[in-house]
Amino acid sequence: MAFKVGSDEGNSLGLPQDLGNGLTLRWAKPKDSAASSEFNGRILGEEGAPDEGIAFATQDWMSGKHPTVRPGDFTLVVDENQRGKIVSSMTLVSQTWAYDGIEFKVGRPEAIGTDPEYRRRGLVRQQFQIMHARSAERGELMQVIGGIPWYYHQFGYDLALAVQGERELFWVNSSQLEGEQTENYRLRPATHDDIKLLSHLYAIHCASSLITQLRSEAEWHFILTDVHPQSLNRRRFLMVEDRAGKVVGYLGLDYLPEVISIREMAVLPGYPMRLVAEFVTRALQTLSNERATENKSTASSRATFTLETSHPACVALSEQLNHQKPSSAWYVRIPDLPAFLRHIAPALNKRLQSSVFDGYSGTLHLNFYLSGLTLVLKSGKLTEVETTAHDESDAAFPGPTFLQLVLGYRSLSDLEYADSDCTVSNERSRVLLNALFPQRPSSVAALA
């Protein structure tokens, strides 16, 4: 997984650009780090309180240590009449993900903000145009954003990729040791020497997911050693060992202001998730109490498991976890849907081969109302994806709703129920769409 990063990548995409009224749109430089960090922390904070997490994340991205982000991946709008004051900004975090095992590049526009006095001038829209072009230069087939409701629809994004919900573990529901029992496991911080094993355990954690964020050795190293302790990107990784000191699993934790959130967890084959998970319920309470003592704060009464309900850890602790927050979704933009479908064709062909359409030849005409696609199948394989008129229609999906099906966020029946403009004209097409695009959870980390 290799990226060319830095302000000298490709061309300048027309920057710097004079926007009028003393405003200039340009790429950031290393010397902008302190001002960018202060700006993002102040603008993206809530109720007048700066967001230190995003401020430190900005420092991390601009430090030169991040594997895929450099200062030149930030756009800045500066007011030359105010001594070059930053008034709007955005960054592009490049990553590699996988769709059912098929790797593809992703761009994540992040830290998007504008000073209140400069809003409603189209500054964010102009930066999106630049970032989308930069993302295209890198061969990124998808852009993804988490964040405020509705806003990103106007830039070509749609809610289409599942984000895990949360389930609460109250300490009163923790597993308890009985009699003279002692712990069979213990926790220790992960180190750089654990990266190979962490990669293996992370793959186990993601095994049931349709879409996963991949981590290179360089990205693991950055997360473990270079992320600021207070950064938004900070995730604590702990190895689970048995009494003999052999690693049997791992945890990925976020220390949120009032609670510990478990976002990753896996055990090696041959070790019981049930017993490890029961140990974790006890260990988390100890960690929470230690954290409260260090911070001189009140100890939390719970932890949260930010995992899919089908995750082995949630299954193992099902009766001890309370339902709290349902799953939500990321905003997704796929600028060239035919190219994306061609790229993931090997995964789609595997699904066809294990379905009732093994060996099938035919066409599937999709109507998006303002455009259309035709999928051509020969001998059970997707061989062509063609942009077509929307006159013929085996199934119709308004706007970008088809992305929800492709990315496993909604089932076909869910889409039909939610939107009467989603229609399927014949039963063969319905069975084929269900075979090609089953509903599946995904596992994507917040950032890093």
Side-chain angles (χ1 to χ4, degrees), residues 19 23-25 35-36 38-46 54 75-79 85-91 110-128 148 151-152 154-155:
L19 302 182
L23 300 183
T24 299
L25 172 59
S36 292
E38 186 279 331
F39 175 82
N40 284 339
R42 174 168 51 85
I43 296 300
L44 299 177
E46 295 182 1
I54 191 63
T75 50
L76 303 179
V77 178
V78 298
D79 189 341
K85 180 181 77 170
I86 299 172
V87 300
S88 187
S89 182
M90 184 184 300
T91 189
E110 292 292 345
I112 302 164
T114 300
D115 187 299
E117 295 183 11
Y118 293 81
R119 290 175 184 169
R120 304 189 186 282
R121 301 189 191 183
L123 301 182
V124 168
R125 183 175 299 278
Q126 289 172 296
Q127 290 175 88
F128 262 118
I148 55 180
Y151 182 72
Y152 299 109
Q154 60 189 318
F155 309 115

Side-chain angles (χ1 to χ4, degrees), residues 47-77:
E47 299 179 356
D51 188 328
E52 292 187 351
I54 191 63
F56 285 120
T58 301
Q59 288 185 18
D60 289 340
W61 286 324
M62 300 189 90
S63 67
K65 296 179 180 180
H66 194 283
T68 70
V69 185
R70 293 291 186 271
D73 292 318
F74 282 73
T75 50
L76 303 179
V77 178

Side-chain angles (χ1 to χ4, degrees), residues 219-238:
E219 286 170 309
W220 274 114
H221 179 85
F222 174 78
I223 293 169
L224 292 175
T225 62
D226 293 325
V227 175
H228 190 282
Q230 294 175 264
S231 171
L232 175 71
N233 291 327
R234 181 64 172 170
R235 181 158 296 175
R236 280 75 172 179
F237 289 95
L238 302 175

